[in-house]
Amino acid sequence: MPVNSFEYYPMTWKPDKKRLQAPLYLSLATLLETDIAGGYLSAGTQLPPQRELADFLDINLSTVTRAFKICERKGLIYAVIGKGTFVAPNKVTPLGLLKNRSLIPFGNLRPYRQLNSIVSDAAGRLLQRQSVDKLLRGNTVADGGRFKETAQYWLKKYFLNVSEKNIFLTYGTQNALVLLFLTVFQAGDKIAVDSFTYINFIALAHRFKIELVPLLSDNEGIRPDDLLKKCGQCRIKGIYLIPVSNNPTGVTLSPKRRAALVEIIVKYRLLLIEDDTYAFTGGSPLPPLVTLIPENTVYVHGLSKALFTGLRVAYMVVPDRFIKEILLAFNSINVHIPPFNAEIADELILSGDAEEIIKRKNELSKERNALYYTFFPEYTSDNPHALFQWIPLPEGRSGYEFERLAGEHGLEVLCAERFFVGGMIKQSALRVAVCSPDSVEELEKGFNILKYLFNSVLCR
């Protein structure tokens, strides 16, 4: 029997005891998910303490703990140490759905739209040489071969020498990940990730029922000792890494850290998913991990951040053992890139415009990060070409609450909770997209708002 009487006791959530079925923890997790999805529990609602809820339902505390853990992994709730557990506001919503056009855009990454004129000029040249009808046709084998030659040429700039048969051209990085989840991985498989990782990877993993195993990291990247520990605790099948400018923390894996991780990947026969989307921001680039362990790596090189946000093209390099299976899925679900996208990518790369765009983007990033440094010198990454910065919040401060405050002051930001994989977040942070405002004036205005919020609101 419950220790306390709850007849008139105020609780933010009182699940119907009669609806609980064995196994109780799964049933309770389902009730919580249903009430969140149905709007009964709104975003930001603080849930009752686990012990209190267990008392109310007359069940074991461990049952409530297991139910909460399931919902945490689904991104439905999050915990703040010393504060409690809260309903998450669309934690795993893809970033494209979070945009608010009326705010200064420090949230979503849309690197330097002012350079889109270079892309439009390339499209104009392309249209002068080829008919629109040809560009709107479906892909052909011949086109695929030509585009793969361009991919080979481009990837050599990033230390990769690969055969055409190992290259797939996908409609962006996310489609490449979907192919992997449809072929190489199955529901229930475990993939190790940085505790703070790419939000759309989290969303896709949840969609395909892939379990993400969070790893501790520091200023050199994921910690090898924690990867070893997790490999010993559970059967991990893969590991997802963004080696250059990890999204969202901005950390680049050091050479020493890369070597240590490669050793563990080989030892435990893990499949590395290497997302090299931000390789172009690396300054003096390091060879990607795929060059060290090609048979253990699926390498994905997206072009949208480097060249043009609307250019949904990614080069995916797969080991020989996966070619047949991925090719079958590739053709059956038709994830071929539109010919027009492929032609524009070719035009940009072969004309030299792609390198010019990257050069100018890195110059703009260097200028904007220098301005950022004048506002937040204590929270600046080592990469002067970074597209975003990572600002820790004071301990105990909710990132979601800061998002709300920033929105009230005209600023769009994304907090650490949206990128967090795991249970309790010890310290929140903000990912600040220095690349997204359209002008330096808008950027500086955004920095002034951030500084005001830190000095006058958060730290009072």
Side-chain angles (χ1 to χ4, degrees), residues 10-271:
M11 292 175 65
T12 56
W13 185 49
K14 288 186 175 182
D16 187 349
K17 306 175 191 179
K18 296 178 182 179
R19 296 173 63 189
L20 289 177
Q21 302 174 2
L24 293 179
Y25 75 96
L26 283 178
S27 182
L28 183 60
T30 300
L31 289 180
L32 180 53
E33 183 173 1
T34 300
D35 284 348
I36 291 173
Y40 179 76
L41 290 172
S42 59
T45 299
Q46 183 173 4
L47 296 174
Q50 293 183 26
R51 191 174 299 280
E52 184 178 281
L53 191 58
D55 193 14
F56 167 70
L57 295 171
D58 196 17
I59 59 178
N60 291 331
L61 174 62
S62 61
T63 301
V64 178
T65 301
R66 292 179 72 184
F68 274 34
K69 191 66 177 178
I70 290 172
C71 291
E72 284 175 359
R73 288 173 178 169
K74 290 185 175 183
L76 300 170
I77 61 177
Y78 68 97
V80 179
I81 293 177
K83 298 287 186 178
T85 303
F86 302 83
V87 176
N90 304 318
K91 176 181 175 181
V92 295
T93 300
L95 288 182
L97 303 180
L98 297 173
K99 188 179 297 184
N100 187 328
R101 297 180 183 276
S102 64
L103 305 178
I104 294 175
F106 274 6
N108 288 277
L109 300 177
R110 52 185 201 193
Y112 308 115
R113 296 188 300 182
Q114 58 267 47
L115 297 179
N116 288 355
S117 59
I118 299 177
V119 180
S120 62
D121 289 345
R125 294 195 303 269
L126 187 61
L127 288 170
Q128 289 178 356
R129 293 198 300 268
Q130 298 188 30
S131 68
V132 174
D133 177 66
K134 181 178 180 181
L135 293 173
L136 296 180
R137 293 174 187 171
N139 283 30
T140 66
V141 175
D143 285 338
R146 177 164 58 85
F147 296 147
K148 286 186 176 184
E149 288 178 4
T150 303
Q152 284 179 305
Y153 169 76
W154 182 255
L155 292 175
K156 284 181 181 178
K157 297 178 181 295
Y158 296 91
F159 306 98
L160 270 74
N161 288 284
V162 293
S163 170
E164 283 188 23
K165 67 181 175 64
N166 297 97
I167 298 175
F168 288 83
L169 276 69
T170 67
Y171 190 49
T173 299
Q174 290 180 59
N175 266 346
L177 297 174
V178 167
L179 276 173
L180 281 180
F181 289 158
L182 285 171
T183 55
V184 178
F185 293 94
Q186 299 177 4
D189 283 344
K190 296 178 173 61
I191 299 178
V193 295
D194 193 301
S195 294
F196 297 100
T197 200
Y198 177 38
I199 191 172
N200 288 344
F201 186 84
I202 298 173
L204 284 173
H206 287 157
R207 174 68 62 181
F208 285 92
K209 302 187 185 304
I210 304 294
E211 183 178 343
L212 300 183
V213 179
L215 300 173
L216 300 175
S217 60
D218 54 28
N219 59 2
E220 292 185 71
I222 285 175
R223 284 172 37 184
D225 63 323
D226 198 46
L227 178 57
L228 271 173
K229 176 183 176 182
K230 298 296 170 53
C231 284
Q233 290 176 341
C234 58
R235 189 173 182 179
I236 295 175
K237 185 172 183 178
I239 179 170
Y240 174 74
L241 294 176
I242 303 177
V244 178
S245 195
N246 176 56
N247 184 6
T249 62
V251 172
T252 293
L253 287 173
S254 67
K256 181 180 178 181
R257 190 60 54 88
R258 291 172 186 234
L261 292 175
V262 162
E263 184 177 338
I264 299 170
I265 290 169
V266 172
K267 178 180 179 180
Y268 285 91
R269 299 180 181 178
L270 305 181
L271 178 64

Side-chain angles (χ1 to χ4, degrees), residues 408-426:
E408 291 175 356
H409 287 79
L411 188 64
E412 174 201 62
V413 295
L414 294 178
C415 68
E417 284 89 336
R418 294 190 182 275
F419 303 89
F420 188 60
V421 180
M424 290 191 175
I425 185 168
K426 292 183 178 180

